[in-house]
Amino acid sequence: ERSYVWAVTRSGIEGFRLRGRTEIQRAAEGFRDLIAAYGLPKPGENDKQYLDRLREFPQQYAQRAAELSQLILGPVAGRIGSKRLVIVADGALQFIPFEALFTLGADNARQPLGITNEVVYLPSVSTLALIRALPRGRSATRNVAVFADPVFGTNDDRVAAAHRRTTPASQGAGKLVALSRALRDVDLTAGDATLERLLYTRHEADAIMSVVPVGSGMKAMGFSASRSNATSPKVSGYKIVHFATHALLDDKRPELSGLVMSLVDEGGHPQDGFLRLGDIYNLNLPVDMVVLSACRTGIGREVSGEGLIGLTRGFMYAGASKVVATLWKVDDEATAVFMKSFYRHMLKEGMPPSSALRFARSEVMQARAEWRSPYFWAGFVLQGDWRRSQLDQPPPKK
């Protein structure tokens, strides 16, 4: 019949009553569905209906964000200020980006929380206790290992090019379907689902490596973005492990979820390229951060009192102190731009990940008028221990 919000600070704990679960859940689900569906034509929707929905989006977003913000943050709004927010949510609130909710700026103008504040998530407080119980003496000496642009089938021209080196390197990309709104997941309900090459993941990997100190990064693309390389013990020697690929998500049976790596070798022979959730739980990956630059990697099956069981929890169990994941189907091109900004702020300017995410959101919003929608910048969330970081350590000398 009623819910509660707890404001926990260094000086104390305060609790406030909220409306009942049913009302909050309805508002949260409507808010998330509105944002996640932006720019994606609905079944049976004609061009006029699609364009009308996009035109109506800003007003609907402002209305629903204000409603949900008041429902769950109203009693603590005056305490938020510019503080870092660590969110431990429950129920439907685990599937929404608090970054897209509103806070009042100095001029009383509504501003998205993800632009004014650092936001971090925890599936439960017990998860933080487990993370902090891990040994402090982590041995990572290199900065970033990036896995991107895997080869998903024999129809990929890179398979033929491996035998026919006279083929121009750019020719293969032109024959593949490369929509700017290519999405980084596959619908499990489609029995004949095909995996489309994500061309912008290559740009994303190159952009990340451009800001990594020389000699402290690894870029595994194409055939090298394989399951065997991703599970190699050498990966634990990096502070950050970044995956830019397709994700397969099964909300009801999370053990069937995973990341898709290269599914064929250079000869076109099939190989196991599915990094399953069970594989992830069995990894020894005591890294500072894992970045899952794929679709819906931040969701999973809800377990009462313990949050969501999915890829994020799997990588934390494997040893990662923090995970950057996504809440919906993200746009391929916008994600590449977002990640380039995120890594530049971390590795060039020395920002902690929570701050770097905040600035990346702001830059993506300003990059294009279309990208002002929270669909393009609010779906990237940081989970885990915000206090722990190796990113300020200098790279090893050659």
Side-chain angles (χ1 to χ4, degrees), residues 186-210:
V186 179
D187 185 1
L188 283 176
T189 62
D192 58 347
T194 58
L195 289 167
E196 200 170 281
R197 184 180 176 185
L198 297 166
L199 292 178
Y200 281 101
T201 62
R202 179 168 290 268
H203 300 310
E204 180 175 322
D206 290 341
I208 292 172
M209 297 307 295
S210 70

Side-chain angles (χ1 to χ4, degrees), residues 56-306:
E56 294 169 359
F57 176 85
Q59 181 178 355
Q60 292 182 349
Y61 163 58
Q63 179 181 345
R64 295 199 184 191
E67 174 189 358
L68 185 58
S69 299
Q70 181 58 37
L71 271 177
I72 62 178
L73 297 178
V76 297
R79 294 162 173 78
I80 291 176
S82 59
K83 296 176 180 177
R84 178 192 300 114
L85 303 179
V86 182
I87 308 293
V88 182
D90 190 33
L93 296 180
Q94 296 174 99
F95 299 90
I96 70 158
F98 279 69
E99 289 88 341
L101 296 179
F102 287 148
T103 183
L104 290 179
D107 54 356
N108 288 328
R110 288 175 176 170
Q111 300 182 55
L113 210 56
I115 304 301
T116 59
N117 298 71
E118 296 177 27
V119 183
V120 184
Y121 297 84
L122 286 171
S124 66
V125 175
S126 63
T127 301
L128 181 64
L130 290 173
I131 293 172
R132 290 185 172 172
L134 293 173
R136 290 279 176 174
R138 300 194 166 195
S139 59
T141 58
R142 298 175 180 270
N143 273 301
V144 186
V146 179
F147 296 89
D149 195 19
V151 182
F152 299 125
T154 54
N155 62 330
D156 191 314
D157 278 8
R158 288 175 291 179
V159 174
H163 297 281
R164 193 175 63 254
R165 296 301 181 185
T166 56
T167 301
S170 61
Q171 185 176 330
K175 292 186 178 180
L176 291 167
V177 179
L179 302 176
S180 63
R181 195 177 301 288
L183 302 173
R184 297 191 179 188
D185 83 339
V186 179
D187 185 1
L188 283 176
T189 62
D192 58 347
T194 58
L195 289 167
E196 200 170 281
R197 184 180 176 185
L198 297 166
L199 292 178
Y200 281 101
T201 62
R202 179 168 290 268
H203 300 310
E204 180 175 322
D206 290 341
I208 292 172
M209 297 307 295
S210 70
V211 296
V212 174
V214 176
S216 67
M218 178 186 77
K219 182 172 64 174
M221 295 198 296
F223 299 106
S224 295
S226 63
R227 179 181 179 275
S228 59
N229 283 337
T231 57
S232 169
K234 67 180 181 182
V235 176
S236 63
Y238 292 84
K239 301 171 186 177
I240 305 173
V241 182
H242 184 103
F243 294 95
T245 183
H246 283 293
L248 289 173
L249 272 296
D250 192 319
D251 303 342
K252 296 181 180 179
R253 295 174 295 174
E255 68 276 7
L256 299 181
S257 300
L259 299 172
V260 186
M261 312 306 290
S262 285
L263 298 174
V264 296
D265 61 20
E266 293 189 6
H269 305 110
Q271 64 181 12
D272 185 2
F274 189 31
L275 186 59
R276 302 165 181 80
L277 183 60
D279 300 327
I280 294 168
Y281 267 91
N282 288 321
L283 290 175
N284 177 27
L285 202 62
V287 299
D288 188 70
M289 182 167 64
V290 170
V291 180
L292 302 177
S293 186
C295 289
R296 302 191 304 143
T297 52
I299 63 176
R301 187 181 67 191
E302 181 183 358
V303 176
S304 181
E306 283 301 319

Side-chain angles (χ1 to χ4, degrees), residues 115 331 333-342 344-345 358-373 376-377:
I115 304 301
D331 178 89
E333 182 180 5
T335 297
V337 173
F338 186 97
M339 289 299 170
K340 178 179 180 180
S341 174
F342 175 51
R344 186 182 74 251
H345 288 302
R358 176 185 167 192
F359 279 87
R361 293 185 199 107
S362 181
E363 290 181 3
V364 168
M365 283 182 67
Q366 298 171 26
R368 293 185 191 175
E370 178 189 10
W371 291 357
R372 292 183 183 277
S373 165
F376 293 97
W377 50 264

Side-chain angles (χ1 to χ4, degrees), residues 5-16 76 79:
V5 56
W6 301 91
V8 183
T9 65
R10 293 179 183 274
S11 57
I13 302 176
E14 297 176 282
F16 303 90
V76 297
R79 294 162 173 78

